[in-house]
Amino acid sequence: MSNKIDLFRIPAADKERLRVLFLAKHAESGGSLHGEDGNHAIYHHEVLTTLRAIGLDVTPASDFTALFGPTDHDYLFTLLNRAGYPMSEMLGPLLAQRIGLPALGASPILRGLSDDKHLMKTVAVARGVPVAPWLIARRGCQWIPYPDFAFERLVVKPNASSASWGVSMPTDWETAKNDIAKLHAEGHDVIVERYEGAYDVVVPVLGGAEPILLSTMRFEMPGDEGNFRSYEEKRGLSEGPKERLVAMKNPVMTRKIREYTRAMLPELWPFDYGRFEFRYTPTTGEVLFMEVNLSCNLWSKKTVSGAAQLAGLTHAQLIEHIAAYSMDRQGVITAERVPFDLAMMPEDVGGETIEV
């Protein structure tokens, strides 16, 4: 079984003429591990070198000042999401919109929606997708009601952050309120949800003639029941057992998660690439939507690239497809469309997992 798609490519003539601005915190780092951001610096360097290997004229920049005034660039490939202050992930798309520069990702208002975990759970509920009970505690709110749901354990985290930064898992409300107050003091809105499920699983989605759903993926670590991976683990800053990237082959679960993903897509379309995240409990088969990321990690060692690899795409083909589709939908180029047969999805053959 295979799935035919149109693989988007940038025509050779456009590669010759286009000037691309590459905006990332570590765009000019040279690819060394960073003391605070860890392997993100390696990731940024890899994408920069991949864009150049594709044949594009790319200028790197590491902060938003590159977008403060007019530019002679034709397109913005931006990975600058966490600039050191809350909700900075919206600034790049907004500044690009202000100066009329087509940019990677999605429109600013869709980026704001997708990055707000509370709003996306509200979208999920409206679309008939199950979620864990939750509440939102916006910064400046003087009254935070006791949860109207029973719990044994809570997850407290910034409402618009990533990579498990700032996450705590208290078992009582007084501790949770203290954790909320700490995050408020650092400038964050906070989401509180009931701890559910055994594993995080994600379905990567690529833009295209229609949304392209890749295989359902997760990271595994030895003895990882509960599947909480800390910021330090995700960024390669801690010692310990090494995680492995696997594709899920449980056809019942994967069909359900793809159905839920498709249900939410109309709220966010069009976007260039994304990752829909769920909690999955193998003993019950329950799948609950958690969050979505429309500017997720494109490093060759992470989930989107891993799923693309299983589908038969190289990392360079993945990056070019995403950039070409983004440019095409915004009128920068007319992309070449090459018929491509995605390899059989692991979930179509059954079993448990397959390592990438």
Side-chain angles (χ1 to χ4, degrees):
M1 180 178 179
S2 64
N3 303 289
K4 279 192 176 297
I5 65 165
D6 284 337
L7 190 64
F8 282 57
R9 295 178 59 181
I10 303 169
D14 290 315
K15 290 180 180 178
E16 287 289 328
R17 70 172 180 86
L18 288 174
R19 298 192 71 248
V20 176
L21 179 63
F22 176 69
L23 184 61
K25 186 176 180 181
H26 302 287
E28 301 170 279
S29 69
S32 299
L33 193 72
H34 185 266
E36 180 181 351
D37 297 327
N39 53 34
H40 238 43
I42 300 171
Y43 155 50
H44 291 167
H45 180 71
E46 179 190 65
V47 174
L48 171 63
T49 56
T50 301
L51 289 169
R52 286 174 168 167
I54 289 169
L56 292 168
D57 178 1
V58 185
T59 301
S62 56
D63 61 66
F64 290 124
T65 59
L67 300 175
F68 283 0
T71 178
D72 59 357
H73 290 94
D74 303 294
Y75 178 76
L76 173 66
F77 196 108
T78 177
L79 302 178
L80 183 52
N81 300 320
R82 296 184 61 198
Y85 47 89
M87 293 179 277
S88 57
E89 60 273 5
M90 293 179 64
L91 186 55
L94 284 167
L95 288 172
Q97 186 92 354
R98 175 176 174 269
I99 62 175
L101 181 62
L104 177 73
S107 71
I109 200 161
L110 288 180
R111 283 296 309 275
L113 170 62
S114 65
D115 287 338
D116 189 302
K117 294 176 173 59
H118 162 70
L119 292 181
M120 276 309 305
K121 288 180 187 294
T122 303
V123 165
V125 171
R127 286 282 177 171
V129 177
V131 300
W134 87 96
L135 62 87
I136 183 68
R138 301 285 186 188
R139 187 173 180 237
C141 180
Q142 301 300 311
W143 173 72
I144 303 172
Y146 188 87
D148 62 357
F149 50 85
F151 66 88
E152 295 182 359
R153 191 181 189 186
L154 293 168
V155 180
V156 178
K157 57 188 176 183
N159 188 50
S161 188
S162 60
S164 296
W165 182 88
V167 175
S168 64
M169 290 186 285
T171 56
D172 64 90
W173 184 237
E174 286 304 311
T175 302
K177 287 197 297 184
N178 289 334
D179 293 341
I180 292 169
K182 289 176 184 176
L183 290 173
H184 279 175
E186 295 184 21
H188 298 277
D189 291 340
V190 180
I191 189 169
V192 181
E193 58 192 26
R194 185 166 70 196
Y195 178 84
E196 298 270 7
Y199 300 114
D200 289 348
V201 293
V202 305
V203 55
V205 180
L206 305 180
E210 59 184 50
I212 301 168
L213 277 63
L214 300 177
S215 290
T216 305
M217 309 292 289
R218 67 177 292 260
F219 282 97
E220 281 187 353
M221 297 181 69
D224 74 341
E225 183 71 22
N227 194 41
F228 175 72
R229 296 164 56 238
S230 69
Y231 173 84
E232 289 74 19
E233 289 169 336
K234 290 183 177 181
R235 291 289 184 260
L237 292 169
S238 64
E239 297 297 328
K242 296 301 181 184
E243 62 192 13
R244 65 191 187 115
L245 180 61
V246 300
M248 307 299 291
K249 295 202 296 182
N250 180 320
V252 175
M253 182 273 286
T254 53
R255 288 187 195 118
K256 185 183 297 185
I257 197 174
R258 292 161 77 82
E259 175 186 329
Y260 291 160
T261 299
R262 289 191 181 97
M264 288 183 284
L265 281 171
E267 302 282 355
L268 297 168
W269 194 254
F271 59 83
D272 299 329
Y273 67 105
R275 187 181 67 208
F276 288 72
E277 305 186 18
F278 298 79
R279 291 291 286 179
Y280 168 58
T281 304
T283 54
T284 64
E286 184 178 52
V287 173
L288 300 171
F289 172 73
M290 186 166 58
E291 61 189 68
V292 65
N293 187 337
L294 296 188
S295 185
C296 55
N297 199 312
L298 291 174
W299 190 23
S300 60
K301 299 181 185 299
K302 294 296 184 178
T303 52
V304 177
S305 186
Q309 174 188 327
L310 284 172
L313 296 170
T314 67
H315 189 243
Q317 285 176 317
L318 170 69
I319 297 297
E320 181 167 2
H321 171 84
I322 289 170
Y325 167 72
S326 179
M327 292 177 185
D328 183 273
R329 73 173 176 83
Q330 295 175 85
V332 179
I333 65 171
T334 299
E336 295 176 350
R337 302 190 182 195
V338 180
F340 187 88
D341 283 336
L342 295 179
M344 181 183 293
M345 300 288 182
E347 52 261 43
D348 294 326
V349 299
E352 286 304 317
T353 63
I354 181 171
E355 187 167 356
V356 180

